[in-house]
Amino acid sequence: MQNYCKTIGVLAAATALVAGNAMAEVEYELHTGYTSDYLYRGVIIGNNLIETGADVKADLGGVALSAGAWYGSFTNDGDNANEMDLYTEVSKDLDFLKVSVGYIYRLYDFGGNDNNVNFCTQEVYAGMSKDLGFAELSMTYYWGVEGNDQSYAGGMTEGYTELGLRRSIEINPCLSLNLGTNVGYLVEGGDFTAWTTKVALDWGFAEHAKLSPFGAMSIAMGESTRSLWSSTENEFVAGSMLSVTF
């Protein structure tokens, strides 16, 4: 099953990458960064997250195609842990509304040499967003599909909805303040998960490079004993991201 997960994820990402390279205009981005804790949908997965990734975007007749890969290394219960994500998305701006569909494959490697655990999870999602002028409103629904360890994914992926609001404020041509907030909700469980707000300062110190220090605060909202969020607490994380586009 793990090989099946790998194959599906790699093929999905490769398809979008090949399509993107066929376009006249393709944008690439490389990024790397550090975060004090690995905060995922209001849950602390680990500590001292070091991440790196690559993304590619292209436009095909008004349809936006994107794909990418992300790798994170962190500590979990004192042991080293790693995660690799592959993802792809197709979106279309309908003027009054932007719609998107996508796929995410995640491969996890938890534990030390004496207790190594490897598994994968997969998600498909559909989203829509609307520019309100003062901010962008978005809603995305994620659905977990079969991986080789659904016990870990639990409520993390299956039937998860996120409602978000974000705004970017240009301070000067080289500096922008980005504000984003979102609330997670378990549709099937009828339970809110967490309310997370992130503030980032983008400093374009070179023509195609920027440094983005950030801080994020997550307020625990989960109450259902059937979900992972029933035992979460309020969390604050901080870090910085370096990205280069070409």
Side-chain angles (χ1 to χ4, degrees):
M1 182 61 73
Q2 182 171 332
N3 290 331
Y4 169 80
C5 291
K6 290 182 179 179
T7 302
I8 293 297
V10 171
L11 286 177
T15 299
L17 285 169
V18 171
N21 278 302
M23 303 300 103
E25 294 185 5
V26 182
E27 180 180 306
Y28 300 89
E29 179 180 287
L30 300 176
H31 47 88
T32 184
Y34 169 84
T35 310
S36 56
D37 294 291
Y38 182 2
L39 180 66
Y40 175 69
R41 296 178 180 173
V43 178
I44 295 294
I45 305 298
N47 312 113
N48 298 312
L49 171 66
I50 299 174
E51 61 182 285
T52 186
D55 297 285
V56 58
K57 300 178 181 179
D59 187 274
L60 176 61
V63 177
L65 307 174
S66 65
W70 179 87
Y71 178 82
S73 179
F74 50 96
T75 57
N76 177 270
D77 291 332
D79 292 322
N80 293 328
N82 304 282
E83 177 185 340
M84 182 185 70
D85 297 355
L86 297 176
Y87 44 89
T88 183
E89 180 182 285
V90 178
S91 63
K92 172 69 175 179
D93 192 339
L94 304 175
D95 293 332
F96 65 95
L97 196 70
K98 182 178 179 180
V99 295
S100 61
V101 293
Y103 168 85
I104 307 171
Y105 161 79
R106 298 183 178 93
L107 175 65
Y108 298 92
D109 178 13
F110 277 76
N113 295 328
D114 297 330
N115 187 30
N116 188 260
V117 179
N118 296 287
F119 57 92
C120 71
T121 63
Q122 301 177 77
E123 275 186 324
V124 292
Y125 65 87
M128 56 184 178
S129 61
K130 172 68 175 179
D131 188 348
L132 303 177
F134 67 93
E136 182 181 77
L137 178 67
S138 64
M139 184 173 69
T140 308
Y141 178 78
Y142 298 86
W143 179 256
V145 295
E146 186 179 4
N148 67 348
D149 194 316
Q150 284 296 302
S151 61
Y152 172 78
M156 293 289 283
T157 58
E158 187 171 326
Y160 174 82
T161 301
E162 199 165 82
L163 180 66
L165 191 68
R166 63 182 181 182
R167 181 180 182 183
S168 181
I169 303 172
E170 183 178 297
I171 300 174
N172 61 49
C174 298
L175 203 62
S176 296
L177 181 65
N178 295 303
L179 310 171
T181 187
N182 63 71
V183 175
Y185 183 73
L186 296 177
V187 178
E188 286 73 15
D191 193 16
F192 286 98
T193 59
W195 175 21
T196 304
T197 299
K198 181 178 179 180
V199 179
L201 189 64
D202 288 351
W203 172 41
F205 62 90
E207 184 177 359
H208 298 289
K210 65 181 179 182
L211 182 65
S212 306
F214 62 85
M217 179 71 188
S218 179
I219 299 176
M221 301 176 69
E223 297 179 353
S224 173
T225 56
R226 297 171 299 173
S227 77
L228 180 63
W229 289 273
S230 61
S231 59
T232 56
E233 300 178 352
N234 297 342
E235 303 287 354
F236 176 79
V237 301
S240 187
M241 183 73 69
L242 173 66
S243 58
V244 178
T245 58
F246 55 95

